[in-house]
Amino acid sequence: MASTDPQEPVQIQDSPLPKVLLLKKPPAFFIIGEQPFTSTKFHYLKAYESPLPLDQFLATHALSIQAILSSAIAPLTVDILQLLPAVRVVVTTSAGLNHLDLPECRRRGITIANTGSIYSADVADLAVGLLIDVFRKISAGNRYVKQGLWPIRGDYPLGSKLAGKRVGIVGLGNIGYEVAKRLEAFACCISYNSRKKKPFVSYPFYENVCELAANSDALIICCGLTDQTHHMINKEVLLALGKTGVIVNIGRGPIIDEKEMVRCLVEGEIAGAGLDVFENEPDVPKELFELDNVVLSPHCAVFTHESLKALSELVVGNLEAFFSNKPLLSEYVDE
Ligand SMILES: O=CC(=O)O
């Protein structure tokens, strides 16, 4: 009997249930509750447990794989998709879709189910947390106290007030909007840059990200990674943000030209950064470790106990809907 649990070993013999391909082993923390991600309506086919090379494994099962459970750690490339002509749906566990070849999926008529808004509140909380941490030096102060420096060096340097700050949000989708709502409650002045002006908000819109930076005390990167947004935050944007400006990134590392950002931080061209994502994860530029005005977290903005429970329900709901010929719960629609 093949496994219906994404962490349990799979047996290669056939099951009467439809197959959902898993290319890479999910992180252990995906195991929450009793039987997360499981269903009696389909079973998981775990490519990573097969002794066969991936292309042979996929060729063996090619005609029976109609669905893929995909994640940011397992890019779904043209090379893989062309080995799987029967695939009709890709359900992804990530908010970002940059690991999927979207044009190729579109060309093949593959429908994508994303994570909808299940992560938005958690990611927004972390973005605001990073911003407050940088302005008010929470992590740096924590180190100061724990290292016993307070009695020796005395009072800690002043931080900056959050209220009244001009915050520029890059990408006003679900997550960006949640960030904006939170920061409005902190009396910040919100403006934004997006592919298109959003009719449902009255925040000032900047078509040009450099102009947004020049008119902001902090930039929060909330957009997805695409060919258009790769290194969108470059030297020009960072210099426009300026010596008192702070950058927060909870989108994807490569949206910022990381080398330039590190240089700007080291040379004091910008005031600080709160970063959950990096260009070459899990490698983080060592220069950042030395800087008290930089707060780092290990790409964990989406993950809470609650968001993973919601993810498990959504993933199973989408896959069951697909195999029952019902509408997906969270179909991705490119705007
Ligand atoms: O970064 C995490 C995600 O895109 O879900």
Side-chain angles (χ1 to χ4, degrees):
M1 177 68 189
S3 168
T4 57
D5 173 340
Q7 287 272 335
E8 284 298 307
V10 74
Q11 320 233 318
I12 301 296
Q13 73 253 40
D14 260 342
S15 149
L17 293 174
K19 293 171 182 167
V20 176
L21 176 67
L22 268 179
L23 287 166
K24 283 215 175 150
K25 187 173 178 156
F29 58 68
F30 269 53
I31 298 312
I32 35 137
E34 302 234 310
Q35 288 190 309
F37 298 93
T38 61
S39 167
T40 52
K41 304 225 167 70
F42 57 84
H43 79 86
Y44 291 105
L45 197 58
K46 299 171 182 173
Y48 53 89
E49 287 183 347
S50 167
L52 296 174
L54 182 62
D55 53 350
Q56 275 181 43
F57 177 84
L58 296 182
T60 308
H61 296 280
L63 297 180
S64 58
I65 297 172
Q66 290 185 49
I68 302 178
L69 178 54
S70 150
S71 75
I73 56 168
L76 206 48
T77 59
V78 180
D79 290 352
I80 292 177
L81 288 169
Q82 69 191 12
L83 295 171
L84 298 168
V87 169
R88 288 291 157 264
V89 72
V90 172
V91 176
T92 182
T93 61
S94 59
L97 299 180
N98 56 296
H99 61 294
L100 304 177
D101 190 319
L102 293 177
E104 184 64 11
C105 287
R106 212 172 293 126
R107 205 180 66 72
R108 292 175 172 272
I110 296 172
T111 306
I112 296 182
N114 66 5
T115 52
S117 58
I118 58 169
Y119 292 136
S120 304
D122 292 303
V123 179
D125 289 347
L126 194 88
V128 171
L130 289 171
L131 184 69
I132 297 177
D133 195 335
V134 177
F135 275 141
R136 298 302 309 272
K137 306 177 189 289
I138 299 172
S139 294
N142 174 57
R143 280 191 297 278
Y144 192 72
V145 173
K146 288 188 178 170
Q147 288 167 2
L149 297 174
W150 191 8
I152 301 167
R153 294 197 192 156
D155 291 341
Y156 196 66
L158 299 181
S160 291
K161 190 185 189 78
L162 180 61
K165 287 285 184 301
R166 298 165 306 155
V167 179
I169 296 180
V170 180
L172 201 72
N174 275 333
I175 293 172
Y177 186 57
E178 289 296 323
V179 172
K181 279 197 309 193
R182 282 158 177 69
L183 288 173
E184 246 192 305
F186 280 101
C188 292
C189 306
I190 310 296
S191 49
Y192 73 103
N193 161 266
S194 234
R195 277 180 297 178
K196 289 185 209 140
K197 191 172 188 311
K198 308 279 176 182
F200 60 89
V201 293
S202 55
Y203 308 131
F205 169 68
Y206 286 86
E207 205 168 334
N208 180 310
V209 77
C210 212
E211 272 172 38
L212 177 71
N215 288 285
S216 298
D217 301 305
L219 272 192
I220 304 194
I221 312 304
C222 301
C223 60
L225 174 62
T226 63
D227 290 346
Q228 289 71 43
T229 62
H230 183 267
H231 282 195
M232 175 173 63
I233 307 300
N234 54 18
K235 179 175 180 180
E236 194 190 353
V237 176
L238 292 164
L239 293 182
L241 182 60
K243 290 186 190 303
T244 55
V246 165
I247 192 151
V248 169
N249 192 2
I250 45 78
R252 282 287 183 268
I255 297 168
I256 301 182
D257 179 341
E258 189 168 87
K259 259 203 186 126
E260 231 5 274
M261 177 185 65
V262 169
R263 192 194 61 74
C264 284
L265 285 162
V266 169
E267 295 179 7
E269 296 288 358
I270 60 172
L275 307 168
D276 185 51
V277 288
F278 306 88
E279 280 216 67
N280 299 303
E281 295 172 5
D283 292 331
V284 174
K286 302 280 174 290
E287 297 94 318
L288 299 181
F289 298 177
E290 309 296 320
L291 301 176
D292 258 352
N293 54 345
V294 174
V295 181
L296 307 172
S297 69
H299 197 155
C300 60
V302 297
F303 296 128
T304 61
H305 295 292
E306 293 81 359
S307 71
L308 285 186
K309 186 166 183 306
L311 175 68
S312 166
E313 287 166 9
L314 187 65
V315 160
V316 171
N318 270 312
L319 288 166
E320 289 188 348
F322 169 72
F323 289 120
S324 320
N325 288 320
K326 294 195 177 133
L328 298 180
L329 306 185
S330 56
E331 182 174 339
Y332 166 69
V333 185
D334 197 8
E335 284 165 16

